Amino acid sequence: MQQLVSNPVSGSGSCAFLRAAAALRPPPGTLPWIRAACRRRELRLARASTDGSGSGAAAAEASAVGDNLEREEVGGGEGVASADSSAGNQPPPVNPKIEKELKKAVQKTAATFAPRASTKTKNPAVPGSTLYTIFEVQGYVSMLLGGALSFNLVFPSNEPDIWRLMGMWSIWMFTIPSLRARDCSNKEKEALNYLFLLVPLINVAIPFFVKSFAVVWSADTVAFFVMYAWKLGWLQRSD
């Protein structure tokens, strides 16, 4: 007995005592949760003591502690929400202001130089009318005839002449004005306005690299249908 009292932590008894103490010790990750639980319990006791008989200072202290707890708990969620909202509010890749200004400039330029009605009356070439059909047929027939002239199939010649030159410019001189003369939709009108400005650039630029009427007419035709597909949404999937 005297030996155990004088040396209580010696031998196997000390090892068993240390193992028991280590088993009862909580893991490090649970300490914040234990502290938060204790603080919540203190808060409830403080609020309970101030109900009916407590002082105003104690109530204010209890409410301050509660606000701090709520702030700490909600802080993580607010951070995630703010990150999500900032990610969702990213600006679009194309500035709508620039696109709007470009569209306005193209429309103004085309309205200034392209052929238009001499009177302010309503356009009689409405869809379904005979005049609408005449303008449409005239536009596409002039495109095909221009291709035949450019490829030297009509009025063949071994030298560059006026017929092949007219075939090269047929889309700009006849097709686009004929289609613009109709009462078409705004999207089609916008596509024709772009083409009215784009085709002359193509016809002037390509001869610096390739001196061929057929190549110029082919490039105009490709630009025509690509512009229509873009503006009228031919390649978009319908839901």
Side-chain angles (χ1 to χ4, degrees):
M1 179 68 68
Q2 185 176 359
Q3 186 179 0
L4 288 175
V5 172
S6 60
N7 193 6
V9 291
S10 62
S12 61
S14 63
C15 295
F17 176 78
L18 292 176
R19 284 196 296 270
L24 293 174
R25 187 176 181 181
T30 59
L31 290 178
W33 296 96
I34 295 174
R35 292 195 194 100
C38 293
R39 293 179 67 183
R40 290 193 189 93
R41 184 176 181 185
E42 291 175 2
L43 173 63
R44 286 196 295 270
L45 292 175
R47 286 178 176 171
S49 62
T50 55
D51 289 343
S53 59
S55 61
E61 183 179 358
S63 63
V65 173
D67 293 340
N68 291 334
L69 280 172
E70 291 176 356
R71 245 183 258 114
E72 291 176 0
E73 292 175 355
V74 180
E78 289 179 351
V80 174
S82 62
D84 293 342
S85 61
S86 63
N89 293 332
Q90 291 181 354
V94 180
N95 194 344
K97 234 176 164 184
I98 298 176
E99 187 178 358
K100 184 178 180 181
E101 292 298 327
L102 178 62
K103 187 186 300 184
K104 190 186 297 184
V106 170
Q107 184 177 1
K108 185 177 180 180
T109 307
T112 303
F113 296 102
R116 59 188 184 276
S118 57
T119 61
K120 295 184 179 180
T121 58
K122 185 179 178 181
N123 189 354
V126 295
S129 63
T130 305
L131 192 58
Y132 184 95
T133 306
I134 290 174
F135 283 141
E136 193 168 31
V137 171
Q138 175 182 319
Y140 289 109
V141 167
S142 61
M143 178 186 289
L144 296 176
L145 183 59
L149 291 170
S150 299
F151 280 91
N152 206 19
L153 300 177
V154 180
F155 303 120
S157 173
N158 295 327
E159 299 292 334
D161 56 6
I162 189 64
W163 295 110
R164 300 184 72 182
L165 184 65
M166 285 184 62
M168 184 184 80
W169 285 92
S170 62
I171 293 178
W172 187 74
M173 289 191 303
F174 304 109
T175 302
I176 295 174
S178 297
L179 297 178
R180 285 186 82 257
R182 304 167 303 150
D183 187 15
C184 54
S185 63
N186 292 332
K187 290 184 178 180
E188 186 177 1
K189 183 77 74 174
E190 185 180 347
L192 292 168
N193 289 340
Y194 276 99
L195 286 169
F196 185 79
L197 302 179
L198 179 63
V199 169
L201 299 178
I202 295 174
N203 291 6
V204 171
I206 288 181
F208 284 101
F209 306 97
V210 180
K211 298 185 183 300
S212 172
F213 295 102
V215 170
V216 175
W217 179 88
S218 301
D220 291 345
T221 305
V222 171
F224 180 89
F225 287 106
V226 167
M227 186 66 68
Y228 260 65
W230 174 38
K231 289 298 180 182
L232 273 66
W234 288 352
L235 303 179
Q236 294 178 357
R237 292 182 178 179
S238 58
D239 296 335

